[in-house]
Amino acid sequence: MAPALIRDAFVGDVLYHVSGHRLFQHPEDRPGFTIPIPPRSIKSSRSGSASPSNLETATAIERPDDEESRLPRVDSDQSTIAVPEASEEQRPARRKAAEVEEGDLAGEKEKASVQQEIAESRIVEWYGPDDPEDPQNWSTAKKSFVTFEICMLTFSVYIGSAIYSPGIGEIAEQFGVSSVAATLGLTLFVVGYGIGPMFLSPLSEIPQFGRTTVYIVTLALFVVLQVPTALAKNLGALLPLRFLAGFAGSPALATGGATLSDMWAPEYRAVVIGLWSVAAVSGPVLGPTVGGFAAQSESWTWTIWILLWLSGAALAFLTFFLPETSASALLYRRAARLRRVTGDKQLKSQGEIEAEHMTVGDVAMMTLVRPFILMFVEPIVAFWNIYIALVYGILYIFIESFRVVFVEKHGFNLGENGLAFLGLFVGSILTYAVFAPYAVKVLKPRFLDGTFVPEMRLPIAFVASVFLPISMFWFGWTSSASVHWIVPIIASAFFSAGTYLLFQAGLNYLSDCYPRYIASVLAGNDFFRSMVGAAFPLFSTAFFHNLGVGPACSLLGGIAILMLPIPYIMYRYGAHIRSWSKYAD
């Protein structure tokens, strides 16, 4: 596992090219390698379809003379055996082409051009359904290791939002600004990672880049930005840096689920994406815990220095050990190697051809226009965006309200206040411990026997929708100093349980309903909920001071009750609503 792991990582790919393809070689680079050509890839509109006999006989593959000395030798009498064409599930690049619809490319003429080039090219695919280079065929140990890396990456970036919050009071005092102005450092970070996916996530779908390159380059920028942030001498310098850091760190938050889907079959994705969600929740939940002790012991700048150490350690580790998982990127690299080895310029991957024909307008439609179109014309998308955005906003208002409840009412210091957030963390861990067996016992069999429909994602949202108002009323009316501090902490655990289950149900349901437009749907959801989540902390302190914690939480709980019917309506009428849509499957 280790050589291939490092070879396909960022540093391995860089050294491969820098060394003139001598280090971290692939099978195609080694002497005596024979190139299997799937039957479909031999078809060409120039030469006609390959006959059955052609598929089984040897073909001589020649190389340019100027590369004779450094390329693996392919003897002229060596046979090239055709292998059975890979299944649709094993060939995401080709499946992607089948999903192209009107509006994805600039008009029918452009579509015809793409199909013509595909027909005239020798399409490079996996060397059969058991190709070990296909991430779907990696060992369970390798998939689990890469899953751990994605969780590490997500946590090291996501913690950057809330780790800042314990230092808000000191920042306001040091820079001579109001606490609301100082809170903008949290708000703009969230705004940054809400806007970032609209621009950065599409890069991971371009075969020439792939996911790992985007992750490493943007994470490196994120790490570098922490230095001037910690050294900022005024709010005017601090706030833009916080926005840029959130923007640069956003690919991990928006594309991590896609990386996991690259490796795991559909019946396992609920479990692994659920685990990744725990890492995502742990970031903003544990941020105040870490930041509280840092701000109390040193100063607010130490919250940023700790963020630098965490993200820097993740960058160093992932640069060496996070392999590329995108099928389009891996097949593009394979096609480039085969072109170099054989001199056959017709050898291309399907994703490569599609990317070459995409214009800036196509990308803008996918990332900047379509997310809003879907949000306004699709009731399913609109309602779930509103619901999840509300929960996200309450999560961030919770982060700010803990100071009112535990510092002002219970007399906690900053470090102890951070420990109060462990209730949220424990709630998400325990919920995953219940959710994972449910996904294995209930959802997995439905995938395997072919009876799965998107609405099967929603029963867990029934529980979540009830947990939210219960936790809000419970937290609000037990937050006074006369009630032991453990009681509202237990209430917060129910809130994180409801939040976790709602995110699992809602985001997976949207993915199942709109598989062809999942990038646009999730980008729009991420943008919408981030804007709401960014706004809530700005008025949180005044909200709780003016209304009182009990009435304020009751108001939020009342809103949660109004939203409660959404999962039930979607479960009952979702299939009927989808039947009206030209976007949903």
Side-chain angles (χ1 to χ4, degrees):
M1 181 179 78
L5 191 74
I6 301 173
R7 180 198 67 195
D8 293 331
F10 181 81
V11 70
D13 191 53
V14 170
L15 292 176
Y16 172 75
H17 291 288
V18 170
S19 67
H21 315 113
R22 292 182 176 86
L23 296 176
F24 298 102
Q25 289 187 335
H26 297 259
E28 294 85 357
D29 298 305
R30 294 166 188 156
F33 176 76
T34 302
I35 306 172
I37 303 179
R40 184 173 177 179
S41 68
I42 298 177
K43 296 179 182 179
S44 170
S45 63
R46 293 175 182 171
S47 57
S49 299
S51 66
S53 61
N54 287 339
L55 300 182
E56 301 297 335
T57 57
T59 56
I61 300 177
E62 300 179 355
R63 296 170 297 161
D65 293 337
D66 61 342
E67 295 187 348
E68 183 71 26
S69 62
R70 62 185 179 87
L71 295 179
R73 182 170 182 79
V74 181
D75 296 331
S76 60
D77 60 346
Q78 193 171 24
S79 296
T80 301
I81 306 300
V83 298
E85 187 176 7
S87 67
E88 286 296 316
E89 185 171 351
Q90 298 293 335
R91 295 186 284 104
R94 177 159 292 175
R95 186 174 68 250
K96 177 182 176 183
E99 295 170 352
V100 172
E101 287 198 350
E102 185 175 359
D104 287 349
L105 296 174
E108 294 299 326
K109 184 176 180 180
E110 182 67 18
K111 288 186 192 178
S113 176
V114 173
Q115 294 303 320
Q116 176 71 10
E117 184 169 351
I118 290 174
E120 295 179 353
S121 299
R122 291 154 62 91
I123 303 301
V124 174
E125 295 180 338
W126 302 120
Y127 299 149
D130 299 321
D131 190 333
E133 302 295 315
D134 183 354
Q136 291 280 331
N137 295 329
W138 288 352
S139 68
T140 301
K142 184 174 181 179
K143 291 179 181 178
S144 299
F145 181 75
V146 176
T147 300
F148 162 75
E149 291 183 294
I150 296 301
C151 291
M152 173 196 291
L153 172 62
T154 303
F155 175 81
S156 64
V157 172
Y158 229 164
I159 196 174
S161 59
I163 199 173
Y164 170 92
S165 62
I168 288 176
E170 185 182 350
I171 292 172
E173 182 179 350
Q174 179 177 329
F175 294 156
V177 297
S178 67
S179 60
V180 173
T183 303
L184 285 171
L186 169 62
T187 292
L188 290 177
F189 187 93
V190 177
V191 169
Y193 70 59
I195 296 176
M198 311 287 277
F199 299 91
L200 299 179
S201 291
L203 297 178
S204 70
E205 302 296 334
I206 299 176
Q208 289 82 346
F209 293 135
R211 305 202 197 284
T212 299
T213 300
V214 174
Y215 285 149
I216 298 303
V217 172
T218 55
L219 181 60
L221 179 59
F222 179 86
V223 171
V224 170
L225 285 169
Q226 304 315 312
V227 177
T229 301
L231 299 176
K233 300 302 181 184
N234 55 68
L235 199 65
L238 176 66
L239 297 184
L241 290 168
R242 287 286 292 173
F243 170 79
L244 291 175
F247 186 93
S250 63
L253 313 180
T255 316
T259 298
L260 300 179
S261 297
D262 290 337
M263 301 181 293
W264 296 95
E267 60 267 25
Y268 297 105
R269 287 174 192 163
V271 175
V272 295
I273 292 180
L275 181 61
W276 173 62
S277 299
V278 171
V281 171
S282 298
V285 167
L286 295 181
T289 305
V290 177
F293 284 106
Q296 177 182 314
S297 301
E298 299 294 338
S299 68
W300 72 269
T301 59
W302 277 81
T303 64
I304 307 301
W305 291 125
I306 291 175
L307 179 59
L308 170 64
W309 300 335
L310 286 173
S311 57
L315 174 64
F317 186 78
L318 299 178
T319 299
F320 284 90
F321 299 111
L322 179 63
E324 181 58 60
T325 63
S326 168
S328 293
L330 291 170
L331 290 173
Y332 164 76
R333 296 176 185 180
R334 172 175 285 180
R337 293 193 298 272
L338 292 177
R339 285 196 298 269
R340 178 172 53 82
V341 169
T342 66
D344 186 350
K345 303 304 180 184
Q346 289 185 349
L347 288 169
K348 291 186 176 182
S349 69
Q350 187 127 354
E352 177 183 4
I353 295 172
E354 293 168 2
E356 289 173 351
H357 285 265
M358 288 196 74
T359 66
V360 175
D362 298 328
V363 176
M365 170 61 74
M366 180 177 68
T367 60
L368 300 178
V369 178
R370 189 184 293 141
F372 295 99
I373 293 176
L374 289 169
M375 187 167 64
F376 287 112
V377 304
E378 293 291 312
I380 292 175
V381 177
F383 280 117
W384 274 110
N385 281 358
I386 294 171
Y387 201 175
I388 291 177
L390 171 68
V391 176
Y392 205 67
I394 296 175
L395 172 63
Y396 276 95
I397 208 173
F398 240 62
I399 292 174
E400 295 303 305
S401 70
F402 273 43
R403 177 190 295 270
V404 177
V405 173
F406 295 104
V407 174
E408 297 180 11
K409 292 181 178 292
H410 288 279
F412 284 17
N413 59 37
L414 287 179
E416 293 168 341
N417 183 56
L419 291 175
F421 286 89
L422 291 179
L424 292 167
F425 176 69
V426 171
S428 62
I429 293 293
L430 293 178
T431 305
Y432 178 72
V434 175
F435 169 76
Y438 167 83
V440 171
K441 294 180 180 180
V442 177
L443 297 181
K444 180 181 175 181
R446 297 296 190 181
F447 277 110
L448 295 178
D449 65 20
T451 61
F452 178 84
V453 293
E455 283 68 34
M456 291 179 181
R457 298 280 192 187
L458 299 180
I460 59 173
F462 301 164
V463 179
S465 63
V466 175
F467 275 2
L468 291 180
I470 288 176
S471 65
M472 293 307 302
F473 286 113
W474 183 352
F475 182 88
W477 294 104
T478 61
S479 60
S480 64
S482 61
V483 180
H484 195 278
W485 50 263
I486 195 63
V487 179
I489 289 178
I490 294 174
S492 70
F494 279 84
F495 174 79
S496 64
T499 301
Y500 179 87
L501 291 175
L502 187 67
F503 269 67
Q504 290 302 305
L507 296 183
N508 280 296
Y509 180 61
L510 290 175
S511 300
D512 293 335
C513 290
Y514 302 92
R516 288 172 294 169
Y517 302 100
I518 185 58
S520 296
V521 170
L522 294 187
N525 180 273
D526 186 54
F527 174 81
F528 190 67
R529 74 173 188 260
S530 295
M531 295 305 104
V532 175
F536 271 45
L538 293 176
F539 62 83
S540 62
T541 301
F543 180 63
F544 285 100
H545 281 163
N546 294 338
L547 291 182
V549 177
C553 286
S554 296
L555 177 59
L556 296 175
I559 296 174
I561 289 176
L562 292 177
M563 305 296 289
L564 190 148
I566 289 179
Y568 297 89
I569 294 173
M570 291 297 105
Y571 184 78
R572 179 66 178 83
Y573 301 104
H576 188 59
I577 295 173
R578 285 189 284 116
S579 68
W580 302 339
S581 172
K582 68 177 182 180
Y583 297 102
D585 285 338

